[in-house]
């Protein structure tokens, strides 16, 4: 009602070439960015070559270390949160891709 901004979400610009934004795992016993990417792509049934972009970020959310893996194909955008400790998928979402 007041016009105040309640939250802001920013994403890197994207182009037609697959891009990767990665960070390394914090501890040696956690999965790597490449392993998280492979888990997400396999779950989505998407070949890496078909991804227009791939963004991978390491984060700690609610006390859990996780990998955020976002990517898109020509028609679908995917968003995954993968537990860094064991590679389990904590969240998976997809929606139409609008470049």
């Amino acid at each position: 009602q007041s016009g105040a901004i309640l939250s802001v979400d920013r994403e890197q610009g994207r182009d037609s070439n697959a891009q990767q934004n990665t960070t390394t795992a914090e501890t040696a016993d956690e999965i790597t960015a490449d392993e998280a990417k492979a888990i997400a792509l396999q779950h989505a049934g998407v070949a890496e070559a078909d991804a227009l972009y791939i963004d991978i970020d390491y984060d700690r959310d609610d006390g859990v270390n996780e990998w955020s893996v976002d990517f898109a194909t020509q028609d679908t955008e995917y968003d995954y949160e993968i537990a860094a400790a064991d590679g389990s998928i904590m969240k998976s979402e997809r929606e139409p891709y609008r470049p």
Side-chain angles (χ1 to χ4, degrees):
Q1 292 176 341
S2 70
I5 297 172
L6 300 177
S7 70
V8 175
D9 214 8
R10 294 183 188 195
E11 294 186 21
Q12 271 187 306
R14 298 180 171 98
D15 63 23
S16 60
N17 297 325
Q19 297 181 26
Q20 291 188 25
N21 174 23
T22 63
T23 311
T24 58
E26 295 257 326
T27 62
D29 59 340
E30 292 182 338
I31 67 168
T32 65
D34 285 339
E35 290 169 323
K37 175 179 66 176
I39 290 166
L41 289 168
Q42 180 180 12
H43 185 267
V46 173
E48 185 172 355
D50 294 333
L52 301 176
Y53 68 87
I54 302 173
D55 290 327
I56 306 170
D57 294 304
Y58 185 85
D59 194 16
R60 184 168 180 86
D61 190 23
D62 295 328
V64 177
N65 293 342
E66 65 186 32
W67 289 102
S68 173
V69 182
D70 302 312
F71 57 95
T73 61
Q74 291 292 332
D75 59 355
T76 307
E77 188 169 21
Y78 299 86
D79 179 14
Y80 281 85
E81 289 179 6
I82 299 174
D86 62 6
S88 62
I89 297 171
M90 300 173 358
K91 178 182 99 172
S92 100
E93 296 179 350
R94 73 167 90 187
E95 61 185 41
Y97 178 57
R98 297 179 188 99

